[in-house]
């Protein structure tokens, strides 16, 4: 199983009542985090796209291209690219260039977006939310398949025998579909034979098993090879369980409560946060041993091929995030790999 990190590069205070971290500083910290993840042997780093004042990255390929020059081995993916409100041709070109700059390490994680600010920003109708994603995913795959493209859709002007360049080193350039809680999205990814990244950021992970089953069954019915499955979750690692919880909770609560006020969620309580840290909960917050155990617990449920963890749920001090990445790469990842290797023999 591949192990990695993803982030949305939040712009929030590092401590309660403190100043908001600047976009310039957050982006420089982000490159250091990706560089460290590469150095400690992690497999993947993902950067998400947002168009809000509380996030620093609107163009993941730009940040990942900067990281490509500071890394050697780690795979570099969006997490996600909101293709519904973007042009799939341009997205493909951006990541083809990233692939060339990184020596064949680029990936696209395509999603509909959990926030909707990009739709009015780029002139799209939210009433066509799902149709936009389906049509643009179709175009992205057409561009990936052939250098010269002929394509016709309803929501985007047609393309008549036009070349799309440059072409990436990888053939095909990996495209994952990010899924939150939509059965239709899980089935669509399977029908297309595409790997799925399933976000589990609340509730009990076992409740999400039907999405993985829908994905694999849809692929089987479409006569497609079994596509890969990834799990994306929130977490934080510190030397001790108590330190991890005490450090992560204020940042988690600030971020989730701010979003919750927009969506009608209840405020996050410390008791609820602690419940989410239990083996059957969604958040991987704890000591290296606890996080290792929880990753293995999830793997027993899903038998997934990739696991990505988001450490910066609400801005944490850069040093704390760096230490968390280091512990993940030097203690958790080796333990998970050993256990999974032993269980296969």
């Amino acid at each position: 199983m591949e192990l990695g990190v993803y982030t949305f590069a939040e712009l929030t205070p590092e401590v309660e009542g403190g100043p908001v971290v600047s976009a310039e500083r957050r982006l420089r910290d982000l490159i250091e985090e990706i560089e460290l993840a590469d150095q400690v042997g992690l497999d993947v780093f993902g950067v998400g796209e947002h168009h809000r004042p509380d996030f620093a990255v609107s163009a993941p390929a730009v940040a990942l291209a900067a990281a490509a020059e500071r890394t050697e081995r780690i795979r570099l993916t969006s997490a996600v690219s909101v293709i519904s409100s973007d042009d799939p041709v341009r997205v493909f070109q951006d990541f083809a260039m990233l692939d060339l700059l990184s020596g064949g390490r680029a990936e696209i994680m395509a999603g509909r977006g959990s926030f909707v600010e990009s739709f009015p920003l780029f002139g799209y109708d939210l009433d066509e939310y799902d149709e936009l994603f389906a049509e643009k995913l179709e175009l992205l795959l057409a561009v990936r398949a052939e250098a010269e493209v002929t394509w016709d859709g309803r929501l985007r002007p047609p393309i008549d025998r036009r070349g799309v360049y440059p072409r990436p080193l990888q053939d095909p350039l990996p495209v994952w579909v990010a899924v939150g809680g939509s059965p239709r999205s899980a089935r669509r990814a399977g029908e297309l034979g595409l790997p799925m990244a399933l976000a589990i950021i609340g509730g009990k992970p076992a409740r999400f098993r039907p999405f993985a089953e829908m994905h694999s069954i849809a692929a089987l019915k479409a006569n497609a090879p079994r596509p890969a499955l990834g799990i994306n979750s929130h977490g934080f690692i510190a030397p001790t369980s108590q330190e991890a919880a005490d450090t992560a909770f204020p940042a988690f609560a600030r971020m989730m409560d701010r979003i919750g006020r927009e969506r009608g969620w209840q405020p996050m309580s410390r008791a609820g946060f602690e419940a989410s840290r239990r083996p059957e909960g969604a958040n991987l917050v704890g000591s290296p041993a606890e996080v290792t155990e929880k990753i293995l617990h999830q793997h027993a449920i899903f038998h997934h091929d990739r696991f990505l963890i988001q450490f910066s749920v609400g801005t944490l001090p850069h040093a704390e995030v760096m230490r968390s990445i280091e512990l993940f790469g030097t203690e958790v990842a080796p333990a998970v790999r050993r256990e999974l290797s032993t269980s296969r023999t």
Side-chain angles (χ1 to χ4, degrees):
M1 181 170 62
E2 293 180 319
L3 298 166
V5 177
Y6 74 104
T7 183
F8 299 140
E10 292 85 346
L11 295 175
T12 54
E14 289 186 330
V15 295
E16 188 68 44
V20 173
V21 174
S22 71
E24 177 187 14
R25 178 183 157 195
R26 183 67 190 93
L27 289 172
R28 294 188 183 280
D29 288 349
L30 171 61
I31 301 306
E32 289 186 3
E33 291 163 14
I34 301 174
E35 184 177 22
L36 177 61
D38 184 56
Q39 291 171 351
V40 298
L42 294 173
D43 301 302
V44 187
F45 203 106
V47 177
E49 171 190 347
H50 287 93
H51 301 268
R52 296 166 52 98
D54 43 350
F55 297 96
V57 177
S58 60
V62 175
L64 295 169
E69 293 302 299
R70 299 266 292 269
T71 56
E72 296 180 358
R73 191 189 61 84
I74 197 165
R75 298 195 65 77
L76 303 168
T77 182
S78 57
V80 302
S81 294
V82 185
I83 62 168
S84 307
S85 58
D86 208 337
D87 190 298
V89 175
R90 195 59 168 154
V91 171
F92 180 85
Q93 289 177 320
D94 288 346
F95 280 85
M97 290 183 65
L98 172 62
D99 202 51
L100 295 166
L101 287 168
S102 66
R105 294 184 282 133
E107 299 184 2
I108 299 170
M109 190 185 295
R112 299 186 299 174
S114 59
F115 295 99
V116 297
E117 289 81 4
S118 62
F119 289 82
L121 180 64
F122 295 114
Y124 290 100
D125 189 343
L126 276 170
D127 289 339
E128 296 169 332
Y129 182 78
D130 191 67
E131 188 179 355
L132 278 165
F133 180 74
E135 183 172 292
K136 292 195 174 187
L137 179 60
E138 176 188 284
L139 176 54
L140 177 64
L141 297 178
V143 170
R144 181 178 74 154
E146 301 287 345
E148 185 178 278
V149 180
T150 296
W151 178 88
D152 192 16
R154 189 180 75 83
L155 300 172
R156 190 232 190 248
I159 303 174
D160 184 19
R161 294 179 296 174
R162 295 292 179 181
V164 178
Y165 305 105
R167 306 304 295 180
L169 282 179
Q170 298 178 90
D171 185 16
L173 182 70
V175 172
W176 291 64
V177 174
V179 174
S182 169
R184 183 175 182 180
S185 293
R187 286 192 291 267
R188 175 163 48 212
E191 288 164 358
L192 294 170
L194 295 175
M196 179 176 73
L198 180 61
I200 302 178
I201 60 173
K204 295 182 178 181
R207 293 175 51 238
F208 290 81
R209 185 170 180 174
F211 292 91
E213 293 171 347
M214 290 175 203
H215 179 233
S216 60
I217 291 170
L220 182 64
K221 289 181 177 178
N223 294 316
R226 176 192 173 274
L229 174 66
I231 303 294
N232 296 353
S233 296
H234 292 167
F236 183 74
I237 308 171
T240 69
S241 179
Q242 192 65 52
E243 183 181 354
D246 290 345
T247 301
F249 172 68
F252 270 61
R254 283 195 299 270
M255 173 63 74
M256 301 308 287
D257 288 354
R258 188 171 69 255
I259 297 171
R261 284 192 291 272
E262 300 175 11
R263 302 184 178 184
W265 301 343
Q266 291 295 316
M268 176 180 281
S269 67
R270 183 64 187 253
F273 175 76
E274 291 297 335
S276 76
R277 298 204 304 129
R278 294 172 186 156
E280 69 276 10
N283 288 332
L284 288 85
V285 176
S287 67
E290 287 175 314
V291 173
T292 298
E293 179 183 0
K294 202 154 184 179
I295 292 173
L296 293 171
H297 174 74
Q298 284 195 3
H299 191 266
I301 297 171
F302 295 102
H303 303 287
H304 46 299
D305 307 279
R306 175 179 286 184
F307 173 77
L308 303 185
I309 186 169
Q310 181 185 355
F311 291 129
S312 55
V313 182
T315 308
L316 288 163
H318 178 51
E320 300 286 354
V321 175
M322 293 287 277
R323 182 177 64 169
S324 205
I325 291 171
E326 183 174 8
L327 290 170
F328 189 35
T330 61
E331 297 192 30
V332 175
V336 169
R337 290 167 182 153
R338 280 195 304 271
E339 182 64 28
L340 293 181
S341 177
T342 300
S343 66
R344 286 195 300 266
T345 58

